[in-house]
Amino acid sequence: MIPDKAPKEDVFHGSDDLKKEAHISSFEKYKELYMKSVESPGEFWGDIAKDFFWKTKHTGQFLDYNFDVTRGEIFVKCMDGASTNISYNLLDRNVHERKLGDKVAFYWEGNEPGDELTVTYRELLQRVCQFANVLKSQGVKKGDRVSIYMPMVVELVVAMLACARIGAVHSIVFAGFSAESLCERIMDSQCSLLITADGFYRGDKLINLKLLADEALQKCRDKGFPMQKCIMLKHLSKEAEDTSLDSQSPPAKRPCPGLQVPWNPDVDLCWLSLTRGASDECEPEWCDSEDPLFILYTSGSTGKPKGVLHTVSGYMLYTATTFKLVFDYQPDDVYWCTADIGWITGHSYITYGPLANGATSVLFEGLPTYPDVSRMWEIVDKYLVTKFYTAPTAIRLLMKYGREPVQKFKRESLKVLGTVGEPINPEAWQWYYNVVGERRCPVVDTFWQTETGGHVLTPLPAATPMKPGSATFPFFGVVPAILNESGEELEGPSEGYLVFKRPWPGVMRTVFGNHQRFETIYFKKFPGYYVTGDGCRRDKDGYYWITGRIDDMLNVSGHLLSTAEVESALVEHEAVAEAAVVGRPHPVKGESLYCFVTLNDGLTFNRTLEAELKKQVREKIGAIATPDFIQNAPGLPKTRSGKIMRRVLRKIACGERDLGDISTLADSSVVEQLFQNRCGAAV
Ligand code: WTA
């Protein structure tokens, strides 16, 4: 339970200035509203829903659900029976009802300093309508799935909202994923169209995105899934005459030697030519509350990514509310979330949450270290950013360069700092708070998942005293519990499985095309609870501390990867008989991949093979999954029943000799051999 009074010791506070105008200005107010949200969720969310546009009203219960597999099918319904359109609420409502047409929706800042563009709410509405008409003209209908594989450009937001406007379901694939991963996701969601771009720069590195998209489409064809259409945005290869049109982001200032744009006239269509003649008016498709809004793939512990499905109304209410309260959004804010829209953080907190509030955001294409390590702070000063949201891995990376690159810029506009994606170590938290925020700005450490749609454990900046490294308390409507291995709820200070006892509007509804898998992964282990897969500790003051994944999942630079996915990429190599992958602590990435491979008989391990295996994983999954270490493992530590003892492998990867109880090991001699072959220094 949440304590009546906030603790006074060992906690940090934001500035008093923030409290004056804050939506939730004290811990007492948080607690009072929290109790209301849990005791009368219908009333709590119903009040919030009044701010939005509903074509027809909902009937029946506000939030209806079953979280208990023993009682039948798992389901969650929010505002069932109501109809609305999310793009209408994000755009038309802001332009027409709230008179925000001239307000800036996005300051787009390109990879290259000087590449910039401003888009107002009115312009965004027009562009979304135009592109929605383009999609319709290509035969895309309500319920169809559309794959989007694009860099961080305004057109990515346009494409996703155009899908939402016509009731099509977007499935965005992060542009850092490989052709193989894109193909797998296109096929799983049975997409009818792909939207991509010619290429983009990540820092100095040119990514030939269209080339990868074509490779993915070829793989789809080879597997019997012919994709008929691909719309390509010219982001780098714009012709000179196009630059006068504001229907595309400005051309990159640098030349693009090496850019390859393969073109297949049977399949490929050009974004610009299609939008040129399209009308900028488009009546939205009125969708039911529980119609699907999007699919976003996240790693699954079996190795096959899961298509997490979110629906219209609950997701809209939840992202809008968490955005407003967790960042204490005020109308004159300039908000910046550095995530990529290809991940859930970008979906919820670059596109949907901020636009639902009529906020002005920075949309950044580049990297924190390009052209130098001051880039983030330069951008903060350039746009006078007030609320800033990034990942612990970015903070740890910048910490390495010391204070000077930060202090070159003023950062006086900053009011709230946020983090997401992985546990933040107290040292990085302190640096963020002291150096970046100059002890003025609260740090909201937001815990959530692709599956939860929005923040579920998080401080509120003017209400919650912070403890570095703790995501503190539940958001409104969220009821966490900590369970032991036998599924008993633990009270008071304790440690165990983090679960949730009931849904909130933004929780996922199913795994696309596989409801059974949804039930098995999240609801089977402890009937009656949604299981997060994370370990958690509650301290004497009731604060929650995420201790990390307790399944076979790794978190590399804030990106979840399943060990099984990497292992299956490794064993696909003809030299590899068996592979086991574990996480090894990494000072910047949080965790890095340490792979043990057993080779087929008669083969020897060498540098060439090591390089080939790294390349193989990169090509199968994407650069984020590149292993840091690959070790030859003539044998793997297994139990007598043949189960690999990952716990032992994790210790070997770290060079830790204290292995604990290894009496269940079938052959203990393999352990010594593995210690002798290990790579990297001990950690
Ligand atoms: C981890 C990202 C500790 C956690 C929004 C979770 C965190 C997984 C935090 C989801 C945090 C995310 N503190 N751990 N503040 N935020 N995680 O689906 O393990 O990419 O289960 O969603 O990231 O990752 P996903």
Side-chain angles (χ1 to χ4, degrees), residues 207-457:
I207 312 289
N208 272 307
L209 199 65
K210 180 62 163 56
L211 208 59
L212 292 168
D214 275 23
E215 220 182 282
L217 294 187
Q218 186 54 48
K219 284 178 196 285
C220 289
R221 277 191 284 275
D222 294 347
K223 293 179 184 173
F225 185 81
M227 172 81 92
Q228 308 294 346
K229 291 195 173 107
C230 172
I231 300 179
M232 189 197 80
L233 172 79
K234 289 185 179 177
H235 176 47
L236 295 183
S237 60
K238 266 164 265 176
E239 300 96 334
E241 81 259 26
D242 292 344
T243 60
S244 60
L245 290 166
D246 67 356
S247 56
Q248 285 197 301
S249 47
K253 291 229 164 79
R254 59 193 292 165
C256 310
L259 180 68
Q260 296 173 55
V261 190
W263 194 259
N264 174 354
D266 294 335
V267 175
D268 293 331
L269 300 154
C270 167
W271 175 298
L272 187 61
S273 338
L274 292 173
T275 41
R276 241 180 214 143
S279 157
D280 60 9
E281 281 181 25
C282 175
E283 172 71 9
E285 179 79 36
W286 300 108
C287 299
D288 288 341
S289 280
E290 287 301 329
D291 277 345
L293 173 63
F294 67 83
I295 300 167
L296 181 59
Y297 285 86
T298 181
S299 295
S301 53
T302 57
K304 189 173 149 39
K306 317 175 274 250
V308 170
L309 186 121
H310 285 283
T311 54
V312 176
S313 298
Y315 179 80
M316 174 171 80
L317 292 181
Y318 201 70
T319 52
T321 312
T322 44
F323 174 76
K324 178 175 166 184
L325 302 182
V326 172
F327 298 109
D328 190 46
Y329 168 69
Q330 302 292 338
D332 54 356
D333 272 336
V334 178
Y335 160 84
W336 181 20
C337 165
T338 67
D340 193 289
I341 292 180
W343 305 108
I344 191 67
T345 305
H347 281 60
S348 300
Y349 300 113
I350 295 179
T351 301
Y352 290 104
L355 293 177
N357 282 278
T360 295
S361 301
V362 174
L363 178 63
F364 179 43
E365 186 193 21
L367 293 176
T369 48
Y370 179 84
D372 60 52
V373 293
S374 282
R375 184 77 190 273
M376 305 255 246
W377 322 120
E378 186 181 346
I379 296 175
V380 166
D381 277 7
K382 175 172 175 186
Y383 298 104
L384 299 175
V385 171
T386 52
K387 313 280 162 81
F388 179 72
Y389 194 29
T390 195
T393 183
I395 300 168
R396 289 192 298 263
L397 174 69
L398 296 178
M399 264 171 86
K400 289 204 307 190
Y401 299 94
R403 294 169 178 237
E404 193 267 337
V406 186
Q407 290 171 343
K408 256 172 53 191
F409 293 90
K410 291 203 187 99
R411 294 157 287 113
E412 282 167 348
S413 52
L414 288 174
K415 291 184 181 164
V416 175
L417 302 174
T419 70
V420 57
E422 53 178 316
I424 180 164
N425 46 315
E427 195 193 352
W429 193 100
Q430 295 278 5
W431 191 83
Y432 199 30
Y433 179 75
N434 291 327
V435 180
V436 177
E438 305 201 331
R439 310 183 69 80
R440 202 179 60 240
C441 311
V443 173
V444 288
D445 173 358
T446 62
F447 166 82
W448 59 296
Q449 308 176 301
T450 305
E451 294 88 335
T452 68
H455 310 139
V456 281
L457 298 180

Side-chain angles (χ1 to χ4, degrees), residues 423 447 469 495-496 534-538 544-550:
F447 166 82
E495 185 164 347
D534 284 292
C536 184
R537 181 168 69 80
R538 191 169 39 216
Y544 290 87
W545 302 72
I546 304 296
T547 53
R549 300 293 306 184
I550 39 186

